[in-house]
Amino acid sequence: MSTDAAPPIPAIQTIGLTRYYGQMAALTSLDLIVNRGDLFGFIGSNGAGKTTTLRILATFLAPSSGTAKILGHDVVTDADAVRHIIGYMPDFFGVYKDMEVTEYLDFFGACYKIPTAQRERTVNDVLELVGLTEKKGAIIGALSRGMQQRLGLARVLIHDPQLLLLDEPASGLDPRARIEMMAILQELQRMGKTIIISSHILSELQTLCNRVAIIEKGRLIYTGPVQ
């Protein structure tokens, strides 16, 4: 009798993933595997298909053909299960600028049905994780761009997702804020999170990620170790 254990389920697996907008192919037959615990760089120029891929993985966009699974759950037929185990941060996300930081996170905690008694502790934990504890009473509109990005990251961590889908999380940040953001992502990887981070700048991710994929005009041209 064979004692071979079943191979581990990848964090992300896409097979032949394709998406058309009208006649234009934004994504063509993408076969991609991201393993659990990876800090995975998804690299390509603007318009290469990165955002389309992440939006499909986040269940916001249906593929034209092909399949995508998150920890074994199909993003189309099992979308609710997928939404509970991912945190998705788009490249541009709205913040309620007149709200206080804790109020904003408490609101999203309520959306995820985190019990009231538990929410305050959860909000404090994610603020500590992203280095915003001192800003908990601040009005969001008064925060710097870098702090607003970190608040966006705190928001996607509120329900303790296993997988983070981050679309250009360092875009528009000054060099110091960029370094701070990368340090937070490394800490999240150490905590056991799987992270896929898109960027159009390879040098930005080469010291951060253990594996990368390079996409051009909707087609995968490389996947593997950074070296």
Side-chain angles (χ1 to χ4, degrees):
M1 191 174 90
S2 172
T3 56
D4 290 347
I9 296 170
I12 296 171
Q13 182 169 25
T14 73
I15 299 172
L17 198 64
T18 300
R19 171 71 197 200
Y20 283 93
Y21 293 104
Q23 298 297 306
M24 190 191 82
L27 203 58
T28 306
S29 297
L30 180 71
D31 293 337
L32 187 67
I33 288 181
V34 177
N35 296 315
R36 292 186 200 217
D38 274 352
L39 211 172
F40 192 94
F42 194 41
I43 296 153
S45 57
N46 293 329
K50 304 186 304 293
T51 296
T52 296
T53 304
L54 292 183
R55 292 191 64 186
I56 291 171
L57 295 174
T59 75
F60 286 119
L61 199 60
S64 302
S65 62
T67 59
K69 290 185 176 181
I70 304 276
L71 294 166
H73 299 282
D74 188 284
V75 299
V76 175
T77 59
D78 206 2
D80 274 351
V82 170
R83 289 175 194 138
H84 279 92
I85 54 178
I86 65 163
Y88 170 57
M89 184 169 155
D91 50 352
F92 294 104
F93 58 91
V95 287
Y96 299 103
K97 296 200 169 183
D98 297 329
M99 288 178 97
E100 289 185 358
V101 165
T102 45
E103 203 180 358
Y104 175 76
L105 293 174
D106 185 75
F107 169 74
F108 281 99
C111 291
Y112 279 105
K113 298 185 170 63
I114 297 169
T116 310
Q118 193 185 326
R119 277 209 301 274
E120 186 180 354
R121 189 175 75 244
T122 301
V123 167
N124 287 336
D125 286 349
V126 295
L127 285 173
E128 186 177 348
L129 200 55
V130 301
L132 285 180
T133 299
E134 292 173 9
K135 299 292 182 182
K136 58 167 60 175
I139 299 296
I140 294 171
L143 299 177
S144 68
R145 163 86 174 158
M147 286 180 180
Q148 287 190 17
Q149 287 289 88
R150 277 150 57 187
L151 178 62
L153 189 55
R155 176 182 63 76
V156 302
L157 291 169
I158 202 85
H159 62 297
D160 196 23
Q162 298 172 54
L163 174 73
L164 300 178
L165 306 167
L166 309 179
D167 197 356
E168 304 257 2
S171 67
L173 299 187
D174 63 51
R176 180 178 171 179
R178 209 174 267 263
I179 290 165
E180 288 169 349
M181 175 64 78
M182 297 308 171
I184 293 166
L185 297 181
Q186 285 175 315
E187 179 59 27
L188 289 168
Q189 185 193 27
R190 280 194 290 272
M191 291 170 63
K193 306 282 186 205
T194 303
I195 303 167
I196 180 168
I197 170 174
S198 79
S199 177
H200 59 280
I201 308 167
L202 175 60
S203 59
E204 180 175 270
L205 298 184
Q206 66 185 20
T207 55
L208 182 72
C209 298
N210 60 301
R211 291 177 67 238
V212 296
I214 298 173
I215 187 172
E216 188 57 50
K217 295 180 182 171
R219 292 182 182 275
L220 187 69
I221 56 175
Y222 171 79
T223 182
V226 179
Q227 288 71 28

